Amino acid sequence: MKILCIIPARGGSKGIPHKNIKRLGDKPLICYAIDNARAIVDDADICVTTDSAEIIEVVEKYGLKVPFVRPPELASDTAGTYEVLLHALSFYESKGIKYDAIILLQPTSPFRQNEDLKRALSLYSSDIDMVVSVKPASSNPYYNCFEENSEGFLKISKGSGEYCRRQDAPKAWEYNGAVYVINPDSLKRSKLSEFKRIRKYEMDELHSLDLDTLFDWKIAELLLSEEMV
């Protein structure tokens, strides 16, 4: 199976300034994703898609060639991952290179392990849309998620509140943002949010850490200093 690993890294970042090239432990954040990708594919099949000259400099200093500069219309706050993935896939297809699967690796999941990619990939087949990594949901819509009714009072999101213990409620998961194994044909037909045939790959809370705020970053530094990851 021929696999394209796509690492999206926009230059602008509000929650954590310059986060993609900010040093975490012994290397810039984006290098964790590059190392993951290198565990399963050759450098020619790794695409860092970015609009930032600074990110390109860091990535190429790490030994990986950046194939193109992302166009400005895909570098704004409103640009979606779907369009960025399609643009990267089209770039390679224009060169006559066809891929059987795309692995999306967001730089903000530094504790994702190489084995996570391999196990998620083992769940993929060409008759589904995607395999996505998940973690147990912090809140369960059958137990402790609520909505307002027409009178403005809270009601349980699902069911009638018949579950008195969390462990009795149906299991719920949330995407952790670490691994996406995507069918290229499905991607060309519809957005990721419209996919129907999705398999889950479950990860634990520790390795699911997603860096979105400076508080998240401090947690990541603590986990590294305590050698917990």
Side-chain angles (χ1 to χ4, degrees):
M1 185 177 356
K2 190 165 179 61
I3 302 164
L4 174 63
C5 286
I6 299 179
I7 303 172
R10 190 168 60 87
S13 175
K14 295 177 180 177
I16 307 172
H18 307 290
K19 68 180 176 184
N20 287 312
I21 54 176
K22 184 177 172 69
R23 202 166 188 83
L24 178 66
D26 62 353
K27 57 192 171 187
L29 180 63
I30 195 170
C31 296
Y32 287 86
I34 294 171
D35 288 344
N36 288 147
R38 281 174 164 168
I40 57 169
V41 299
D42 294 331
D43 280 11
D45 298 316
I46 302 173
C47 174
V48 171
T49 165
T50 183
D51 60 309
S52 166
E54 286 182 297
I55 292 175
I56 291 173
E57 182 180 359
V58 168
V59 169
E60 296 198 337
K61 188 175 179 180
Y62 203 62
L64 179 67
K65 178 68 176 176
V66 175
F68 55 79
V69 179
R70 192 192 300 182
E73 62 270 21
L74 294 179
S76 67
D77 289 340
T78 58
T81 300
Y82 171 71
E83 290 80 11
V84 170
L85 292 175
L86 270 184
H87 174 264
L89 181 63
S90 297
F91 172 83
Y92 289 95
E93 288 188 340
S94 71
K95 295 181 176 297
I97 306 172
K98 180 175 174 57
Y99 287 99
D100 302 303
I102 296 168
I103 296 184
L104 166 62
L105 297 175
Q106 299 187 118
T108 48
S109 298
F111 302 144
R112 163 187 55 218
Q113 298 176 300
N114 296 338
E115 196 62 29
D116 292 321
L117 274 67
K118 295 173 183 177
R119 288 175 180 168
L121 193 56
S122 72
L123 299 173
Y124 175 78
S125 57
S126 60
D127 61 339
I128 69 169
D129 297 322
M130 179 170 68
V131 176
V132 64
S133 59
V134 300
K135 64 178 180 177
S138 57
S139 298
N140 190 313
Y142 292 93
Y143 178 68
N144 61 348
C145 282
F146 299 86
E147 302 171 11
E148 279 188 338
N149 63 17
S150 59
E151 298 176 306
F153 297 120
L154 291 179
K155 64 172 185 176
I156 195 75
S157 289
K158 287 193 172 289
S160 57
E162 66 266 34
Y163 300 104
C164 297
R165 302 189 311 160
R166 183 187 181 94
Q167 57 265 43
D168 293 333
K171 289 185 177 179
W173 291 272
E174 59 184 276
Y175 287 10
N176 67 0
V179 184
Y180 299 78
V181 184
I182 301 166
N183 186 326
D185 292 330
S186 298
L187 185 72
K188 287 184 278 188
R189 285 194 299 265
S190 60
K191 295 182 179 181
L192 276 67
S193 60
E194 298 170 349
F195 285 176
K196 303 297 182 185
R197 297 180 58 80
I198 302 171
R199 292 192 181 122
K200 68 171 174 46
Y201 168 67
E202 189 171 347
M203 291 172 58
D204 62 31
E205 187 78 27
L206 189 67
H207 293 93
S208 294
L209 182 65
D210 180 55
L211 306 185
D212 187 47
T213 66
L214 286 172
F215 178 77
D216 298 329
W217 193 276
K218 290 297 183 183
I219 294 295
E221 289 180 327
L222 176 63
L223 293 175
L224 284 175
S225 67
E226 295 293 326
E227 299 183 350
M228 294 177 66
V229 289

